[in-house]
Amino acid sequence: MSNIYAVTGNEAVANALRQINPDVCAAYPITPQTDLMQRFASFVSDGLVDTEMILVESEHSAMSACVGASAAGGRAVTATSGPGLALMWEILFVASGMRLPILMPVVNRSLSAPLNIHGDHSDAMGARDSGWVQLWSENAQEAYDNTVQALLIAEHMDIRLPIMVCLDGFIISHSIERVEYLDDDIVKNFVGTYKPQNPLLDIQHPKSIGPLILPDLYTEYKRTQHEAMSKVKNIVLKTADDFAKISGRKYSLFETYRLDDAEIGIVILNSAAGTTKDVIDIYREKGIKVGLLKPRLFRPFPYEEIRETLQHLKALCVLDRCDSFGAFGPLYTEIASSLYLSENKPIMINKIYGLGGRDYMPEHAKIVIEELIEIANTGKVKLFKDYLGVRE
Amino acid sequence: MSEMLEVRWHGRGGQGTVTAAKVFADACLSGGRYVQAFPEYGPERAGAPLKAYNRISSQELRMHCPVLNPKIIIVADPTLLDSINVTEGAPDDAIFIINSSKDPSIIRAKLNVSKKQKVFVLDATKIAIDSFGRPMPNSPLVGALARVSGAVSLETILEDVKKSFGKKFAKKIIDGNLEAAKRGFEEVKEG
């Protein structure tokens, strides 16, 4: 009981950052930043962490300062949201290209215009090809747990890549729910001491990081980033095993819910997965064999494991809280790629939902399940990509 | 309490309605329960109507969306009864807790609820002014909600009011809010 609190997602993640006690945190102290960073800045001011807090003039500069701090040999963190992540975009690639294990919680919000800062995955999906590892979180507990696990993945000597921990804006970030914290000592020991690789501050061994590279070597360099990414899955699983030992909470590459014997399925990220699980229970009571897959590790994407898990289904709907205008949603295209090599694969449809904070209600999950039942029975699809709950 | 309790709060920006939902959620953590407290997110303007929600359950709360059919509906500002439909989505056995100086029977008639639905009334604004000199009805309402829902004891609520106000406010304000919560618990009347 002593470690259980009613807190917002922002409070939970800020508390994880306090427990991690990073060397440097750089942040732009105004909207689109959330109170996650405000709370962490309070911990710095109150002397609860040893972190050097750098307040900069933009999110672009926040990420630049993290790159500098990390290259110098420090453990660097920041946090961002929506348009803030968009403004960081150029430097995201610098962080991953320089193989700097920076940790960044991302409170997922929409992008303008029209101006909107509500829950939406457009921000992190826009950064999916930036070379960062991405963990996604259903609720405040998962956001906290993922933040505690993130650095072990990012800083692993086989990986050395930056990592984002994604949580839904407002729905999780600003809502209060029950969260169980680990003791400070346990997190401290779990995260361990940072061992910098070739730090710039090692002035006995002068070096350059991120210099010009010409076409004769750029491809080889980029390939090494892919190689590092290909090792992430195993480290994520190992870290999850170790985390289960200290917390009792189990994580994997993705979560499945009532999927083993399912005939129809839903793939959905983050907070909407919880609402969907409740509706799945209602349909299971009626004898409808429906299940769910909720990705946790989105970059790198676990294609083989997801193929094995979904290929037995008759019909499948992938829901995206993000649009790629004139194309399928980003989650749908990954699931379709996963299943392409299967001989028997489900009929797949894509629904765009919840843009700009539009509520995802149980009613929406019911609409999807009813349509999947119809597709499984008839084999016919009306629209492969459609908008859920849109007013015509 | 085995099943889920869902609560909807109607208030106006700046009245402490969201804080009240948070205090109630925090108090309900006891006994290993799962809790949620969240506002309906929109432009945050003082005086504008707002909604906030609670879910309390012994099972893990997976649902992350607004409450559609709240068992308990609380109206923190009596003027809202003239401007919005606070009975929307109320189930047959819904319970209303209304902040009003009027007689419970008058409020019951105004809400036009069915026989099975219960209406409780307390003058939370007056209690607040008496107790700490400001028209902030949230503490008396949290006390009334504890009484009506039976979800949590008065003692636990008082501890939580103390905890949530403790860091920000002077002792006089905290004691006033404790008095207000206690009076809300005691003075709420069924109509």
Side-chain angles (χ1 to χ4, degrees):
Chain A
M1 184 65 204
S2 60
N3 281 345
I4 292 172
Y5 296 89
V7 291
T8 64
N10 278 334
E11 283 179 84
V13 174
N15 190 48
L17 294 182
R18 179 190 63 76
Q19 294 179 315
I20 289 166
N21 192 10
D23 297 314
V24 174
C25 176
Y28 175 55
I30 196 169
T31 303
Q33 193 58 266
T34 69
D35 75 331
L36 191 166
M37 195 43 75
Q38 183 186 328
R39 285 172 188 280
F40 183 73
S42 300
F43 295 145
V44 176
S45 301
D46 294 345
L48 299 176
V49 287
D50 307 311
T51 310
E52 181 170 349
M53 186 88 205
I54 309 173
L55 299 182
V56 291
E57 74 284 7
S58 77
E59 305 272 359
H60 187 279
S61 301
M63 185 47 63
S64 299
C66 285
V67 164
S70 186
R75 189 177 254 165
V77 306
T78 183
T80 193
S81 184
L85 181 60
L87 188 55
M88 280 180 183
W89 208 74
E90 179 190 2
I91 313 301
L92 295 177
F93 287 74
V94 178
S96 61
M98 286 167 57
R99 305 288 297 274
L100 301 171
I102 299 163
L103 165 60
M104 178 164 66
V106 177
V107 174
N108 297 125
R109 283 173 165 175
S110 54
L111 298 173
S112 300
L115 181 64
N116 177 298
I117 54 157
H118 287 267
D120 185 306
H121 299 160
S122 299
D123 52 1
M125 284 300 172
R128 71 185 190 270
D129 297 335
S130 62
W132 284 59
V133 177
Q134 286 188 345
L135 295 176
W136 292 68
S137 326
E138 179 178 324
N139 49 39
Q141 184 72 60
E142 289 192 10
Y144 170 82
D145 291 348
N146 282 338
T147 306
V148 170
Q149 291 173 69
L151 282 177
L152 267 83
I153 301 161
E155 293 174 358
H156 193 281
M157 288 311 289
D158 291 347
I159 311 289
R160 291 280 153 164
L161 287 171
I163 187 163
M164 293 179 198
V165 173
C166 301
L167 61 150
D168 281 352
F170 289 101
I171 304 162
I172 301 303
S173 66
H174 291 61
S175 298
I176 289 161
E177 59 185 354
R178 179 192 200 267
V179 177
E180 188 172 353
Y181 291 146
L182 297 162
D183 290 339
D184 288 358
D185 289 353
I186 290 175
V187 174
K188 191 180 170 186
N189 290 333
F190 185 73
V191 176
T193 313
Y194 179 50
K195 296 177 193 69
Q197 175 91 334
N198 302 318
L200 286 175
L201 282 182
D202 176 10
I203 52 174
Q204 300 304 318
H205 303 91
K207 59 193 76 69
S208 294
I209 296 182
L212 175 72
I213 193 165
L214 293 172
D216 63 333
L217 276 176
Y218 185 83
T219 304
E220 286 68 24
Y221 192 89
K222 289 291 141 185
R223 189 193 165 174
T224 63
Q225 283 180 243
H226 177 76
E227 299 272 323
M229 272 288 194
S230 70
K231 294 172 185 163
V232 169
K233 278 191 298 194
N234 286 340
I235 307 303
V236 167
L237 290 173
K238 179 171 185 311
T239 305
D241 282 348
D242 293 343
F243 184 78
K245 284 173 202 152
I246 60 164
S247 68
R249 295 188 288 275
K250 293 196 171 87
Y251 288 89
S252 188
L253 305 175
F254 48 82
E255 181 193 335
T256 58
Y257 186 72
R258 307 189 83 161
L259 198 58
D260 289 350
D261 67 335
E263 291 171 358
I264 57 176
I266 290 173
V267 178
I268 193 163
L269 279 165
N270 279 16
S271 66
T275 307
T276 308
K277 287 175 202 168
D278 277 5
V279 176
I280 284 173
D281 284 355
I282 295 168
Y283 275 85
R284 279 281 178 172
E285 278 174 31
K286 294 186 205 170
I288 306 294
K289 290 185 174 174
V290 54
L292 168 143
L293 185 147
K294 179 189 75 181
R296 174 175 180 246
L297 181 67
F298 188 78
R299 276 294 180 274
F301 198 81
Y303 293 101
E304 297 83 3
E305 294 82 356
I306 284 185
R307 177 162 68 236
E308 294 290 322
T309 311
L310 294 177
Q311 61 186 356
H312 68 283
L313 296 171
K314 287 182 184 166
L316 174 65
C317 181
V318 182
L319 284 95
D320 272 284
R321 197 167 210 144
C322 168
D323 204 354
S324 181
F325 312 107
F328 287 112
L331 182 55
Y332 179 91
T333 55
E334 299 301 3
I335 301 295
S337 300
S338 296
L339 287 165
Y340 179 73
L341 292 174
S342 295
E343 279 189 23
N344 299 307
K345 48 183 167 275
I347 300 171
M348 278 184 65
I349 57 169
N350 185 200
K351 299 280 187 204
I352 308 297
Y353 77 100
L355 299 183
R358 172 72 59 89
D359 289 320
Y360 174 80
M361 304 300 291
E363 198 55 36
H364 296 125
K366 287 179 188 168
I367 290 168
V368 169
I369 294 172
E370 293 291 342
E371 188 172 337
L372 287 173
I373 294 169
E374 180 78 11
I375 291 170
N377 286 339
T378 63
K380 284 178 190 159
V381 173
K382 282 178 203 144
L383 271 175
F384 283 99
K385 178 189 174 184
D386 201 2
Y387 292 77
L388 194 57
V390 71
R391 293 200 301 273
E392 297 293 351
Chain B
M1 193 177 65
S2 59
E3 62 186 34
M4 179 163 60
L5 171 66
E6 293 183 305
V7 180
R8 184 172 72 215
W9 298 75
H10 293 276
R12 291 186 182 275
Q15 287 181 325
T17 310
V18 179
T19 305
K22 176 181 165 42
V23 169
F24 183 67
D26 214 36
C28 287
L29 272 180
S30 59
R33 282 179 293 189
Y34 290 81
V35 299
Q36 288 180 346
F38 54 102
E40 195 168 67
Y41 306 105
E44 287 159 14
R45 294 164 297 168
L50 65 80
K51 290 183 224 170
Y53 305 95
N54 281 126
R55 284 193 182 93
I56 313 294
S57 173
S58 54
Q59 308 284 319
E60 185 187 353
L61 289 166
R62 301 184 299 199
M63 192 78 73
H64 283 101
C65 59
V67 172
L68 285 181
N69 305 114
K71 168 83 181 186
I72 299 181
I73 295 166
I74 302 167
V75 181
D77 189 312
T79 64
L80 289 170
L81 297 177
D82 296 317
S83 57
I84 56 169
N85 177 17
V86 300
T87 64
E88 189 184 358
D92 292 343
D93 60 349
I95 299 170
F96 293 84
I97 303 175
I98 313 291
N99 170 23
S100 172
S101 58
K102 294 195 173 114
D103 191 79
S105 61
I106 295 171
I107 298 296
R108 188 172 182 96
K110 189 174 178 66
L111 286 171
N112 196 23
V113 295
S114 68
K115 279 184 181 171
K116 275 190 191 167
Q117 294 175 322
K118 292 181 176 176
V119 177
F120 290 85
V121 176
L122 75 159
D123 195 347
T125 305
K126 183 174 184 302
I127 293 172
I129 292 171
D130 287 354
S131 306
F132 53 93
R134 291 187 66 198
M136 301 282 280
N138 48 346
S139 288
L141 285 169
V142 170
L145 175 58
R147 171 77 168 270
V148 170
S149 68
V152 63
S153 70
L154 178 64
E155 289 70 30
T156 309
I157 282 286
L158 294 181
E159 272 169 35
D160 259 275
V161 170
K162 210 170 179 174
K163 199 170 81 184
S164 84
F165 287 83
K167 283 179 190 167
K168 292 185 203 162
F169 295 97
K171 187 172 184 303
K172 197 177 156 194
I173 300 287
I174 300 164
D175 288 347
N177 275 283
L178 292 174
E179 170 68 16
K182 191 162 169 273
R183 279 186 59 186
F185 186 92
E186 286 161 359
E187 293 179 23
V188 64
K189 283 194 185 69
E190 188 168 359

